Amino acid sequence: MKFLFKFGLVVSVITTSSLVFLILAFLLYFSIPLFDSAIFVGFFTQKWDVSKSLYGLLPMILGTIYISVLATFFATAMSFSLASLSEGFLPKKIATVVEGIIVLLAGVPTVLYAFVALFLLVPLINIYFFMGKGLSIFTASFVLAFVVLPTIYVMMLSAFRGVPKKHIKTSLCLGATKKEVFFSIMLPQAKPALLGAIVFGFARSVGDTLIALMLSGNSLHMPNTLFDSARTLTSHIALINANDYESVAFKAIFLCALLLFIFTFFVVATLKYLYKEKRYA
Amino acid sequence: MEFDAIKIEVENLTLSYGKRVVFENLSFDIFPRSITALVGPSGIGKSSFLKILNQMIREEEGLHVEGKVLLHNKGLSVDILKLKECELPSLRKKVLYVAQHPDLLPLSIYDNVAFGLRLQGIGKNDINNRIEMSLRDVFLWDEVKERLHVKADILSGGQQQRLILARALAMRPDVLLLDEPTASLNEELSLKIEDLLISLKQKMTIVMISHFKEQVKRVADVIFEMRLPS
Amino acid sequence: MHKIFQKIIIFLFYFFAFVAFIALSVFFIFIFYKGVNAFSIKLIFDDTPPLDALMLQARVFNGIFNAIVGSFFVVFVSIILALPLGFLSSIYVACYASKNVRFWMGFLCELLSSMPSIVIGLFGLSVTIFLHKNFFAELYPSLLISACSLAILVIPYIIKMTESSLCQIPFSIKNVGLNLGASKTQNLFFVQLPYVSKEILGGIILATGRAVEDTAVIMMTGAVAMAGIPSSIFQKYEALPFFIYHISSEYSSKEQINQGFGAAILLLGVSLFLFATAFALRKIISKRSGFGI
């Protein structure tokens, strides 16, 4: 019995820890045929046009960068404001309510934000602001901001709470106002963890599929302005029409996934290095 | 420089923690330009009493205060228990609490002292002067003048205790609340600090907690002893 | 100058918080208004008598019943798959692993939980293609593949929650059993696991919530718009989040949009319920005193 239990432990640890390597192995297995062909450089310089045998991922890479940078910007502005207010300025009771609401927001399915935006925000922009530009980088990143907001907010809260209470008390004791405590004690000390929260939020917004898929228009053109339609790496994967498993178009999908994998790896490694300890998001 | 003389009147002050009463119905006066010493066994609420005087007690959870603490200043009387949250910072700039365990901010020696002065909106030159003066007052200047800009936590326990005293003095308070100011100092320095306190009472009202009988006898004008109910 | 700067920043705080508040209120009001109006028994079962549908006697053609059943099954199977793996791994990491192993497992979990879910979906798809080509010609994207992929998605959550709760047991309780002469395994089963049972339950609920809402994984691995109720785990199936996505891209009438909103409010209700339960559990745990079972 005891032996069986220990055997189970070892088997599951090996299984779970090999998952990441398995994912990497499969991504490589399918994308390696592309590495030695002459078109490899083309993936990072060309456009995507299957009819002309062009398989460039550059528009998607740019689309991903534009949408997630903008979304991170919106989300940071909102969650930093909310976290600062609830830790530094609002009365405790209101702050608890705000925290409760935002933590619950993390439970709202992503697809619903996109669905509601599609029938509310997109027509609004189409009719009143920019004719026919409802499905755009701007729309996608604005909505995406609400998806990553709770993540960044919770991490920023714990960053502020990591500031030792005694430092806050000492400065109150010297006659500092709430505002002064916030700006001169809490903010400087929480800064590294706050930056970590933003990086993590950025990774989240790069990894999201549904918002960009449903709201950014998925055009294959190079995006130029905020109100252009664009396609992200994630939605490019989602849009694959997998009829011919041997085609370059299909294998290029795995290159997209490989790029996302590498990006995630670097983000997690950076955060791990920054925090130097286990972080439970 | 003109210093205000503040008289403190304590009326029926009761402090309770949940259902446990820490002390009850304290009533006495603290006179301006005097040193009042609080003595008594530990755990009887001496530190809490000091924290009531600058209302840091509101930052502790579960403690309940009743009664009145009146500050008399130039004919004006204020009950500090009834001050609004936003009025507390200005009270705390006048009534300064110096903790028993050095509560340094994670800043340099210079910035630790300058922190309170910046809160008062004092200019840079004045800050430098005041820092030098107050550090000289506590006999720390010669020990740290070469390394004002290193982190304060490299200082020894005794140096840290004098640093937080200097930090308070630099702010030129009207009332100084001292929680065992000489607990980690050697005898010679203790005597020097006692002399300092005696000279300070020309300018401000001092309330201190001390466990040293000799010290209390030497510096205190009024001794207030808190006893357990027998 | 400095003071003015700070004032502006605080003003911006309130401004952004206000923007977020307004946008979120509009979102919730809109979805509740549309969803509650659209919601009806007919929406779920169409014209099929509900009892017959529930007993699987009659087929529902135009309602979201199939999607509900499909979602339920795929989440159920994925949790069944993920639970033992995640649970046992976290016990190993928390109780038996060396510091090095713990660090690397932590890193791998972190990496897996940060991985875009579409990548995990693509992994599921590619494994299917691989197996289909080389070993099982009958294997296609199906409910089982989706469940496996969802399991990969939620395993790191289960590991993290269980491991952190095991590590955070107060020192006084952690080794009570050892002091009384129990073996390490006995101590684990009779002292530590009962003590953290609520945390573990909370972790499972959160994992369920994560699996219910995910769309990217299932759209890669076998969720389709029309499939009926699957008769085995090797068939394609319908699912609520995919249904909502599908409506948004291919709706042809107002009724279909209404159906979408009905499905949306249902999904929102389920997700929020799961999340709120996990949240409430955590509140209870933080107030616990003594040996709370």
Side-chain angles (χ1 to χ4, degrees):
Chain A
M1 186 62 206
K2 207 170 154 184
F3 171 75
L4 207 67
F5 174 64
K6 294 225 161 128
F7 182 72
L9 284 185
V10 174
V11 168
S12 21
V13 167
I14 292 174
T15 317
T16 47
S17 57
S18 59
L19 284 175
V20 173
F21 299 107
L22 265 178
I23 292 176
L24 183 63
F26 267 90
L27 296 185
L28 285 173
Y29 173 81
F30 279 90
S31 56
I32 265 187
L34 304 174
F35 278 81
D36 50 43
S37 65
I39 51 174
F40 185 70
V41 181
F43 285 116
F44 302 99
T45 50
Q46 291 167 345
K47 284 184 168 185
W48 179 280
D49 192 342
V50 178
S51 60
K52 289 183 197 154
S53 295
L54 291 178
Y55 301 103
L57 299 176
L58 192 60
M60 293 71 146
I61 295 175
L62 286 179
T64 302
I65 293 175
Y66 289 162
I67 288 179
S68 42
V69 166
L70 199 59
T72 314
F73 175 74
F74 287 141
T76 305
M78 288 188 290
S79 47
F80 181 58
S81 303
L82 285 163
S84 311
L85 286 179
S86 53
E87 272 305 284
F89 299 98
L90 291 176
K92 210 165 178 189
K93 273 183 191 158
I94 301 178
T96 320
V97 174
V98 170
E99 189 191 341
I101 292 175
I102 297 180
V103 168
L104 264 189
L105 277 186
V108 176
T110 318
V111 67
L112 295 191
Y113 284 114
F115 190 70
V116 167
L118 203 58
F119 291 103
L120 190 68
L121 184 65
V122 173
L124 207 70
I125 293 180
N126 266 339
I127 295 165
Y128 293 106
F129 296 99
F130 301 93
M131 296 295 275
K133 301 260 183 174
L135 295 175
S136 64
I137 294 179
F138 174 81
T139 319
S141 43
F142 181 74
V143 178
L144 189 50
F146 289 95
V147 176
V148 292
L149 188 148
T151 314
I152 305 187
Y153 173 82
V154 168
M155 287 181 73
M156 284 189 166
L157 266 197
S158 63
F160 282 131
R161 282 174 190 166
V163 176
K165 261 257 145 18
K166 62 174 191 195
H167 294 155
I168 295 171
K169 276 193 182 172
T170 302
S171 23
L172 281 176
C173 200
L174 291 170
T177 57
K178 272 184 168 182
K179 194 171 81 182
E180 287 158 341
V181 172
F182 178 78
F183 282 108
S184 53
I185 298 292
M186 289 169 73
L187 204 52
Q189 287 201 56
K191 209 162 153 198
L194 291 175
L195 287 177
I198 295 173
V199 173
F200 196 75
F202 179 67
R204 268 286 157 83
S205 53
V206 168
D208 190 86
T209 312
L210 263 291
I211 301 286
L213 182 63
M214 289 164 76
L215 295 177
S216 70
N218 296 321
S219 107
L220 284 164
H221 295 290
M222 293 277 185
N224 288 321
T225 67
L226 274 187
F227 289 92
D228 276 356
S229 161
R231 184 183 283 204
T232 61
L233 287 169
T234 48
S235 38
H236 189 60
I237 299 177
L239 286 167
I240 184 62
N241 220 335
N243 291 324
D244 182 5
Y245 296 152
E246 296 300 327
S247 67
V248 180
F250 182 69
K251 285 181 175 157
I253 299 306
F254 287 88
L255 204 59
C256 293
L258 201 59
L259 287 178
L260 289 170
F261 186 102
I262 293 168
F263 168 77
T264 313
F265 176 84
F266 276 109
V267 169
V268 173
T270 316
L271 288 179
K272 202 83 184 166
Y273 178 77
L274 275 180
Y275 285 94
K276 290 248 173 103
E277 58 188 307
K278 262 174 280 162
R279 182 174 42 76
Y280 296 102
Chain B
M1 170 139 287
E2 193 60 37
F3 282 89
D4 295 333
I6 290 189
K7 184 188 174 195
I8 304 171
E9 216 177 309
V10 180
E11 277 178 37
N12 291 328
L13 192 65
T14 301
L15 175 72
S16 49
Y17 180 75
K19 279 183 183 159
R20 195 175 80 87
V21 174
V22 183
F23 53 69
E24 236 176 337
N25 290 327
L26 286 186
S27 294
F28 64 103
D29 291 354
I30 294 166
F31 297 102
R33 301 204 175 90
S34 73
I35 298 180
T36 304
L38 291 178
V39 294
S42 40
I44 200 160
K46 299 190 297 292
S47 293
S48 302
F49 177 74
L50 290 191
K51 284 182 188 163
I52 290 174
L53 292 184
N54 79 339
Q55 285 298 297
M56 277 304 281
I57 202 85
R58 290 198 203 179
E59 305 297 324
E60 317 270 336
E61 276 183 32
L63 283 167
H64 185 67
V65 186
E66 266 176 73
K68 272 185 184 171
V69 177
L70 297 169
L71 289 196
H72 299 290
N73 184 15
K74 291 180 189 159
L76 281 174
S77 312
V78 198
D79 183 357
I80 61 168
L81 297 185
K82 296 210 169 69
L83 283 179
K84 285 195 206 95
E85 194 74 25
C86 59
E87 294 169 314
L88 292 181
S90 56
L91 168 77
R92 287 171 188 159
K93 281 169 193 151
K94 278 192 220 139
V95 182
L96 263 177
Y97 173 73
V98 180
Q100 177 179 10
H101 305 289
D103 50 351
L104 295 169
L105 297 169
L107 305 168
S108 68
I109 297 174
Y110 179 90
D111 285 329
N112 254 288
V113 186
F115 184 84
L117 299 174
R118 291 196 187 117
L119 294 180
Q120 292 182 337
I122 290 168
K124 197 159 184 294
N125 284 331
D126 212 6
I127 286 183
N128 287 337
N129 289 336
R130 284 208 196 182
I131 288 177
E132 186 177 341
M133 247 160 73
S134 58
L135 286 176
R136 278 188 197 285
D137 279 346
V138 299
F139 315 101
L140 198 59
W141 177 252
D142 290 328
E143 292 165 46
V144 299
K145 66 182 174 196
E146 306 293 327
R147 43 179 184 162
L148 282 175
H149 293 283
V150 296
K151 284 251 171 183
D153 51 16
I154 60 149
L155 295 177
S156 74
Q159 286 172 324
Q160 291 189 8
Q161 199 166 31
R162 280 178 287 151
L163 182 62
I164 61 166
L165 182 59
R167 184 173 69 191
L169 292 181
M171 292 177 72
R172 306 208 169 139
D174 299 329
V175 180
L176 192 60
L177 310 172
L178 301 169
D179 197 343
E180 301 204 39
T182 62
S184 51
L185 301 181
N186 62 32
E187 208 180 333
E188 189 196 338
L189 269 171
S190 295
L191 287 174
K192 281 182 176 173
I193 295 290
E194 285 165 21
D195 289 336
L196 169 69
L197 294 183
I198 292 171
S199 72
L200 279 175
K201 80 177 176 188
Q202 310 298 322
K203 306 175 193 167
M204 56 187 83
T205 310
I206 297 175
V207 185
M208 67 186 287
I209 296 174
S210 177
H211 281 145
F212 302 106
K213 282 218 171 75
E214 290 301 315
Q215 185 176 56
V216 172
K217 270 185 206 157
R218 213 177 134 225
V219 301
D221 301 306
V222 180
I223 299 173
F224 185 75
E225 188 175 358
M226 294 166 85
R227 281 198 206 121
L228 288 168
S230 49
Chain C
M1 190 57 216
H2 209 62
K3 291 254 148 126
I4 296 170
F5 183 63
Q6 290 183 352
K7 280 215 167 108
I8 293 172
I9 289 184
I10 292 174
F11 170 78
L12 283 178
F13 285 169
Y14 280 103
F15 174 74
F16 284 124
F18 183 72
V19 169
F21 177 75
I22 292 294
L24 287 167
S25 326
V26 169
F27 167 76
F28 276 106
I29 291 170
F30 188 75
I31 199 168
F32 272 105
Y33 176 73
K34 286 278 190 180
V36 170
N37 274 347
F39 202 79
S40 64
I41 297 291
K42 188 171 183 302
L43 176 91
I44 298 179
F45 296 106
D46 196 25
D47 293 329
T48 317
L51 257 181
D52 290 356
L54 283 174
M55 306 296 288
L56 304 182
Q57 303 284 325
R59 224 189 128 175
V60 178
F61 285 99
N62 208 12
I64 57 174
F65 180 66
N66 296 338
I68 297 172
V69 174
S71 260
F72 176 78
F73 275 117
V74 76
V75 170
F76 183 72
V77 177
S78 74
I79 296 295
I80 294 288
L81 289 170
L83 203 52
L85 277 177
F87 186 59
L88 290 175
S89 307
S90 58
I91 287 179
Y92 180 83
V93 174
C95 305
Y96 299 94
S98 67
K99 218 175 165 188
N100 254 333
V101 171
R102 192 177 288 194
F103 174 83
W104 284 108
M105 271 303 283
F107 181 73
L108 290 176
C109 272
E110 204 74 52
L111 189 55
L112 196 57
S113 70
S114 311
M115 200 58 70
S117 56
I118 193 86
V119 173
I120 292 173
L122 184 67
F123 170 68
L125 177 66
S126 60
V127 171
T128 317
I129 293 170
F130 181 78
L131 293 177
H132 172 81
K133 264 201 312 204
N134 298 330
F135 302 103
F136 312 102
E138 296 302 302
L139 190 71
Y140 291 99
S142 61
L143 197 146
L144 180 67
I145 303 292
S146 283
C148 289
S149 310
L150 281 181
I152 296 176
L153 192 73
V154 299
I155 278 176
Y157 286 82
I158 295 178
I159 295 185
K160 271 196 280 186
M161 292 288 286
T162 316
E163 192 209 329
S164 72
S165 61
L166 279 174
C167 287
Q168 281 163 9
I169 299 177
F171 199 71
S172 55
I173 290 168
K174 204 169 193 167
N175 294 327
V176 167
L178 296 182
N179 283 336
L180 297 174
S183 71
K184 212 170 174 179
T185 320
Q186 284 172 325
N187 190 39
L188 180 73
F189 275 99
F190 297 121
V191 180
Q192 299 186 340
L193 288 181
Y195 185 80
V196 296
S197 55
K198 281 205 182 90
E199 278 100 327
I200 294 173
L201 185 63
I204 296 168
I205 294 173
L206 272 187
T208 313
R210 185 83 186 77
V212 167
E213 68 119 2
D214 197 90
T215 321
V217 168
I218 58 171
M219 68 194 286
M220 297 297 288
T221 53
V224 289
M226 282 298 261
I229 289 173
S231 57
S232 85
I233 53 173
F234 295 105
Q235 288 192 334
K236 293 204 192 302
Y237 63 100
E238 295 177 30
L240 267 185
F242 185 77
F243 177 80
I244 295 169
Y245 164 68
H246 184 75
I247 289 279
S248 77
S249 56
E250 319 225 326
Y251 63 92
S252 56
S253 68
K254 209 153 177 108
E255 266 161 49
Q256 281 191 325
I257 299 178
N258 265 344
Q259 247 183 350
F261 275 107
I265 191 91
L266 193 67
L267 186 62
L268 182 67
V270 171
S271 291
L272 283 188
F273 171 73
L274 289 171
F275 226 76
T277 314
F279 195 58
L281 265 179
R282 207 182 324 162
K283 280 271 165 246
I284 295 171
I285 293 160
S286 67
K287 280 187 190 140
R288 158 177 64 196
S289 56
F291 205 98
I293 294 177

